[in-house]
Amino acid sequence: MYTYNEFDEAFVRNRVAEFRDQVERRIDGSLTEDEFKPLRLKNGVYLQLHAYMLRVAIPYGTINSRQMRQLALIAKRFDKGYGHFTTRQNIQFNWPRLKDIPDILDLLADVGMHAIQTSGNCIRNVTADHFAGAAADEIEDPRPTAELLRQWSTDHPEFQYLPRKFKIAITGAPNDRAVTKAHDIGLRMLRNEAGEPGYEVIVGGGLGRTPMVGKVVRDFLPKADLLPYLEAILQVYNLSGRRDNKYKARIKILVHETGLDEIREKIEAAFVRQKRDFAGVPADLVAQIDEAFAPPLFDNTRSLAYEQALGADPLLRSFAETNVAEHKNPAYGIVSVSLKPVGGTPGDATADQMRVLADLAERYGHDELRISHEQNVILPHVRKADIPAVHAALREAGLATANIGLVSDIIACPGMDYCALATARSIPVAQAISNRFDELKLERDIGPLKIKISGCINACGHHHVGHIGILGLDKAGRENYQITLGGDGTETTTIGERTGPGFDAEDLVPAIEAIVLAYLEQRVDASETFLEAYRRLGAEPFKQAIYDKEKDEARAA
């Protein structure tokens, strides 16, 4: 992973000192809240329902054990003993006192971390495939590209005041684990017919109030042209994006209203100008970044111990079936640690759990951890022979839930328990669904099923691309939940279809249960996933399952 140089260190320290002065002036009344707001947002500080919230950047989701221990220390000393990992591969602290935030930022700087550009109308944290550098299907590790984009976009003078926030995601594999088509810019690494590496460039994706799937604006972009091409896209957006209505200010609206062909022409024209003046990324910088992401020194010793342990321990076998993915090195596995225990808050980890994860990464995982957009933590490089020991440590820490990709592995935003923008709660809904399917003991039989929950139209829980999506709204002072079906956040990205009228909180879990039971009843066999069944059957059987049941109950009453 990338390590700060002297320039980075000085840059971040200066920002902390500047913000410390701004905080002091806010506390003594020299700055009003309106004056302070744009200053705090530039440093990742939000004002939530009950307290300030600090959002810390974890670039492309990569973190080491020292950094994770520092997050644990911050959670223990300045928060309520936990942190919340988000769908942007960041971590949020929900309860810091304003006067303590500069001290927190100093502690982050001690380990090469910060909160810069985690908010505001700028280029946000660049996200990437959480299996990057480890996945068996990977064409190329996308993180060097993501790091180059981080350096290019941080404090970029032209792009600090865009029409709206701007998000970039990148994947290095044909299997898209980064939801690239739901971002302002999505980059998919590939090779052309000559075997040269480059990118498919996708523009205009996004969820929220007007969900749209991104469109391919360049089938193949050589790696050397990436920065001038992205500059061209951002310039077109910055000049033409709407500033009269924040709900129509994202690039997806610009692409939709202008048309892909015209947008492509504008981008290509701007690209010609940018490329003419672009001297190229310095070769020493490219080499420095590539070296920072060189693969670890793998121990290729093969052992039968793992296979023998699977045969002897049913809990380990169950964990391996869901939480261990294929690694590019056959002697290794990719271990996903679920932050979704039954009845828990999705994405939350306690300080003690963070320390356990740091210890495991240091001892068994080449000192690497990843945060996924699905709010879980990944140990990307674990020798298969060590997985039983890792599993035992996770069990002791309450982190061995074997549910990755299953019905209880729910994405949920903080919702109305924390967020000032939310119109309904998300966390209690996720907990209730998790508890109900634990009671039914059907999770393994159901198989892969992604439920995603958002507490407002901003869609921070990615509900539009959930196989089952749930959107919480306020309806005449009551929480009301709309259900969408058939969404998909992979390389075949699809926006889910709304089933019909929403449900009150007390009726929502029975509706989700009815949908899942209808799937189990109508699937071809156990190999047909929920998404496959939905695409074959359409929405009607599932609508009948929830709305006919509703009518029957009304008649019975």
Side-chain angles (χ1 to χ4, degrees), residues 256-275:
H256 176 71
E257 292 183 342
T258 307
L260 181 63
D261 290 340
E262 186 175 339
I263 283 291
R264 183 184 286 117
E265 288 178 9
K266 290 183 176 183
I267 292 170
E268 293 294 338
F271 173 56
V272 170
R273 296 191 298 270
Q274 287 300 117
K275 188 174 181 180

Side-chain angles (χ1 to χ4, degrees), residues 102 188 264 347 514 521:
R188 189 172 70 90
R264 183 184 286 117
E521 183 180 329

